[in-house]
Structure formats: C-alpha cells, structure tokens
Amino acid sequence: MPCGPRRHRPTTVLPNGTLIQTGGYNDGDHVVRVFAPCLNQICDWIEIPNYLSQRRWYATNQILPNGEIIIIGGRRQFNYEFFPKRINNNNNGSLLELDFLRETSDFDENNLYPFVHLLPDGNLFLFANTRSILFDYNRNSVVKEFPPIPNSEPRNYPSSGSSVLLPLDEKEIIVEIMICGGAPSGSHWRAMRGAYVEALSSCGRLKVSDENPSWQVEYMPMSRVMGDMVILPSGHVIIINGAQRGTAGWECGEDPVTTPILYDPAAEHGERFSVMESSPRPRLYHSTAILLPDGRVLIGGSNPHVYYNFTGVNYPTDLSLESFSPAYLSLEHKAVRPRIVAARESVGYGELMSVVFRVIGETTLDSLSFRIIAPSFSTHAFGMNQRMIVLRVVSVVRIGLEGYNASVLGPSTAEIAPPGYYMMFVVHGEIPSHATWIKLH
C-alpha cells in the first residue's frame, strides 16, 4: 500500500479566543472555518468557502504581532497569504510569492509544513527541507539566509523532524531555534516502496540572535522521525512519539519510538538529553502531543494507514489519549510546588501585575520564575505558535506563613508575545504550579 495523506487543517487561536482553521484537502483546500466563543452552548463552526487564494494542504499558520495569521506554503504552493486578507495590487488579494519555498522543494516535497517562528525583531524564522531564512513578511523580503543545517538532511514533512523556539527570557533576549530528527534524503521514496531507512538522531541548535549564527549539533539517544517537541513549564523540552525508520505518510513508518526523551537547554553540552519511562502504545503517523495546564503532556492518536485499521496490521489505528507526567509532578515535590491563589485575568504589554501564590517554606527571588506559554496547534510533528516567555520579576513579598505576592511585568512587546491567551505558571526551582489562564492585550 503506498504512502498517502489525509485532510490536514491547521488551527490558530485569535487574540479574542476564536479558532481559525485553514485549508485542508479536496473540498476543504480553499476554505476557512471559524469557531467563535459563545455563552449559549450552541456554538458551531462557520465555513467560508473559497476564502483562501490558493489551496492550502500541508501549510503552516503563525499568529502575528497585530493578531493576523500568516498562512505559508502547502503542496505545490510557493507563496503565502493572510487572514484576514490584506489588500494589495494583485488580483489574488493578499497572495504573495515566496521563491524560498520553490527552491526548497525536492522530489519528495520535503518543504511541507515549514517550520515558522515569530522572532522578537518582528521577522519570521522559516525553515524548509535543509535551509532557513530570516523573512520580513511585510516587505516580502529575505533579510538573511542562515547556513544549511549540517549534513543537509531533510527535516520537514514527509521527512518529519520537529522544531521549537527555545524559551525567551525578558531579562536577556537570546533567540535560539532547535530542530530534532527527520529522515535522510530519499527516505520517503524508499518508504513508499517498502524500504524503511533509519531516521536521523541529530538535532541542530541555531542562535539566530548572534551576528553570524552557526548550527550546534547534538545527538538524541535514538533516531526519530515524526517526534513531537513540547516545551514544558520547567523550560525543558520533551520529545515524544514517532518512529525510528521511514517517514511520515500512510504505511511509511516502522519501529515506533515509545520512549520519550527530555532535553535541558541549560545543561552542559553532552549532558542535555535524558531518557524517560516508555509508553506501551506506539504513536506514529497522525499522533500528536500538547501541554496541559496541570503540567502533564497529553498524547493522542496514531493512524499510519489509509483507513482506520484496528486489526491485522503491525501498528493498529489508535484513537486513545494518554498523559505523560514529567518528574516535576512526583509526590516528592509536593512540598515545594507553588500554588497560584490569585492573578489578573488580563495584562497589557509592560504592565505590572500582581500574582499571589503559596509555597511551603522559604523562597527567594532567585529561585522563582513566572512563565507564560502559548497554546499551540500540533500536527505532523510541529507545534505551530508554541512559545514560552520568562517574565521579568520586580519584587516578591512574603504575606503570611506560606503566602507570597509577586509583582511581575507583562511581556514587553507583541513581537515577543503576540496578543491572546496564555497559560501562566509559577516555577519554584524547576517545579511548576498548575497554570492559570491570562489574556495578553
């Protein structure tokens, strides 16, 4: 059975909480779908046919500082557009060409679901296949091209690696992108013919805030394709799901990786990866992972087949959900786990807000941090719009036996943190509280 795709529809949360879903396959490829919050329990999706200028299938969405969405690429689409539409002088509304996508397309189309990250300077980091650029979407201009990732092996769908923007700290903005896993060139063509090539074990880490960035290469304990990278409130990155051989696509992956690994960006080089407890369930193509407000990671799905095949195959379709509890949720950390008592529901840029929390025993300003994480849409090994910002703390005052009142500044700019809803965690050492939701405006 040859490899094949299903309908794929990226979703983005607008600043007002509305869900926007774009594109997909067949009759949905030009469609935008809107799901707005309501109070009467009869909310439903509204479809806007033919809203998109081009078919968007395997495209990437990114929320922008002004609350717009940029929609980039897709199968045989070397262009981008916006929601809501921008008015320009061509006949396709907001459609703009992007030659970089054409240049990075190969015989396996390894430039799909390009990795897109909004940077604090307002530009976009775009990675497709083996190359990356700094892109000014307002001027439709490539500001800089970064060096190719070492060994020039594909990292995007169908050779699906994963990518994260490492946490941004308001005290000192250092911007680093990390890309892990993928598959050697030609792997998808071979997988379609039943030959499964071992996936990549390498990760590339690029400090794009440097004047002359260069890739730092590290190696995971095992090879992985279709792995999901999720930023945890502790600042670690978990890499979970995926396979050790083959690529994304129907019937294209073999040897599932059921062991998650944890990456510590702050550890010494060579000591950053640790292996966690395995799951009994293989999660291959069409699996996903997201962060929950209580600090767990929710993992779901796996359908590497053309149809839902529950029997008679090596890796049956799995419609279940499970959660992974990082070590910081262990009972041994209960005594030092913070608990948020009160916090504002919304905060403006650079605005001072009060966060009241409880923690047993003494704590110091140095041992505390306040972090917000944007809810991401995770599909095909990439969490779109995923980002963490470590906020600046002005003061922490003790109130009572176990209570504290912290004065914390909201993010300084919309380029660092686009407007919208975020999970806010209080982190004591590396032990986070449960999150409270705040709206950034």
Side-chain angles (χ1 to χ4, degrees):
M1 181 68 69
C3 310
R6 295 195 62 191
R7 300 187 179 204
H8 309 106
R9 299 171 174 177
T11 302
T12 306
V13 184
L14 291 181
N16 64 2
T18 297
L19 298 180
I20 300 294
Q21 192 181 79
T22 60
Y25 176 60
N26 201 9
D27 58 339
D29 57 18
H30 284 73
V31 175
V32 165
R33 303 159 203 87
V34 180
F35 188 93
C38 68
L39 299 175
N40 55 14
Q41 305 298 314
I42 56 172
C43 305
D44 201 356
W45 289 96
I46 298 172
E47 291 209 347
I48 310 175
N50 299 313
Y51 188 91
L52 300 174
S53 301
Q54 300 293 323
R55 65 195 304 257
R56 299 294 172 191
W57 185 22
Y58 299 100
T60 296
N61 289 1
Q62 170 66 52
I63 192 79
L64 298 174
N66 63 359
E68 294 178 339
I69 301 168
I70 187 170
I71 308 159
I72 301 176
R75 291 202 73 181
R76 293 179 284 279
Q77 295 300 328
F78 313 120
N79 47 60
Y80 62 97
E81 58 186 297
F82 298 91
F83 178 90
K85 284 183 180 292
R86 289 187 175 185
I87 304 302
N88 58 32
N89 293 326
N90 65 41
N91 294 325
N92 291 318
S94 57
L95 184 71
L96 292 162
E97 295 299 315
L98 181 53
D99 289 339
F100 173 73
L101 294 177
R102 190 184 309 276
E103 295 165 6
T104 52
S105 183
D106 60 18
F107 57 92
D108 274 340
E109 290 189 278
N110 278 307
N111 70 342
L112 302 177
Y113 286 127
F115 301 144
V116 181
H117 301 286
L118 174 67
L119 302 186
D121 66 1
N123 293 313
L124 298 177
F125 174 88
L126 265 66
F127 186 100
N129 202 328
T130 64
R131 293 169 52 192
S132 54
I133 57 173
L134 182 66
F135 185 63
D136 183 339
Y137 59 89
N138 285 311
R139 293 181 172 85
N140 192 31
S141 172
V142 176
V143 178
K144 177 190 293 186
E145 177 151 7
F146 300 105
I149 198 164
N151 299 321
S152 293
E153 299 285 16
R155 307 288 178 150
N156 293 87
Y157 183 92
S159 296
S160 298
S162 190
S163 175
V164 292
L165 170 66
L166 292 177
L168 299 171
D169 193 329
E170 285 273 13
K171 289 186 295 185
E172 182 184 9
I173 300 294
I174 297 173
V175 187
E176 290 188 88
I177 307 293
M178 187 171 180
I179 296 171
C180 285
S185 182
S187 293
H188 190 61
W189 185 89
R190 292 179 174 87
M192 291 177 69
R193 288 151 182 81
Y196 303 102
V197 178
E198 184 175 357
L200 303 176
S201 62
S202 60
C203 295
R205 185 165 161 174
L206 185 69
K207 190 179 292 186
V208 298
S209 52
D210 282 356
E211 185 175 349
N212 296 300
S214 61
W215 290 95
Q216 178 186 36
V217 179
E218 302 176 78
Y219 291 91
M220 298 181 286
M222 69 282 289
S223 57
R224 193 181 299 252
V225 64
M226 296 181 286
D228 290 283
M229 298 175 73
V230 180
I231 302 174
L232 301 179
S234 60
H236 297 86
V237 178
I238 192 169
I239 307 173
I240 201 164
N241 300 334
Q244 289 188 274
R245 295 192 300 136
T247 66
W250 285 329
E251 321 298 340
C252 285
E254 287 279 345
D255 294 344
V257 187
T258 59
T259 304
I261 56 177
L262 197 68
Y263 180 79
D264 183 355
E268 292 293 327
H269 185 67
E271 301 177 0
R272 292 171 177 162
F273 290 105
S274 54
V275 178
M276 314 302 286
E277 184 178 349
S278 296
S279 167
R281 293 180 178 272
R283 306 278 184 181
L284 294 96
Y285 190 46
H286 290 127
S287 61
T288 190
I290 59 168
L291 178 69
L292 295 175
D294 63 7
R296 292 178 299 162
V297 178
L298 183 68
I299 302 123
S302 183
N303 185 45
H305 311 293
V306 177
Y307 303 105
Y308 278 17
N309 292 344
F310 297 99
T311 59
V313 290
N314 287 335
Y315 310 112
T317 298
D318 192 328
L319 304 182
S320 69
L321 297 172
E322 61 183 323
S323 65
F324 178 83
S325 296
Y328 54 61
L329 291 175
S330 299
L331 286 176
E332 63 187 278
H333 300 307
K334 182 178 180 180
V336 294
R337 188 181 320 284
R339 180 168 62 87
I340 297 175
V341 177
R344 289 172 54 179
E345 294 183 356
S346 66
V347 63
Y349 289 99
E351 187 178 359
L352 198 64
M353 65 174 169
S354 174
V355 181
V356 179
F357 64 98
R358 298 174 66 90
V359 65
I360 297 174
E362 289 286 344
T363 188
T364 64
L365 189 59
D366 291 339
S367 66
L368 285 169
S369 61
F370 297 76
R371 306 174 178 195
I372 60 173
I373 301 179
S376 66
F377 172 78
S378 178
T379 186
H380 292 74
F382 181 46
M384 300 179 191
N385 297 294
Q386 182 176 203
R387 67 200 295 118
M388 173 196 281
I389 297 90
V390 182
L391 302 177
R392 189 185 296 273
V393 183
V394 176
S395 64
V396 177
V397 178
R398 188 160 190 166
I399 48 173
L401 186 61
E402 299 173 0
Y404 294 86
N405 188 343
S407 295
V408 182
L409 287 174
S412 53
T413 69
E415 287 75 21
I416 289 174
Y421 289 90
Y422 289 78
M423 293 180 283
M424 184 175 72
F425 296 86
V426 179
V427 182
H428 183 214
E430 293 184 350
I431 310 303
S433 66
H434 289 189
T436 187
W437 288 95
I438 67 166
K439 184 179 182 181
L440 180 59
H441 60 88

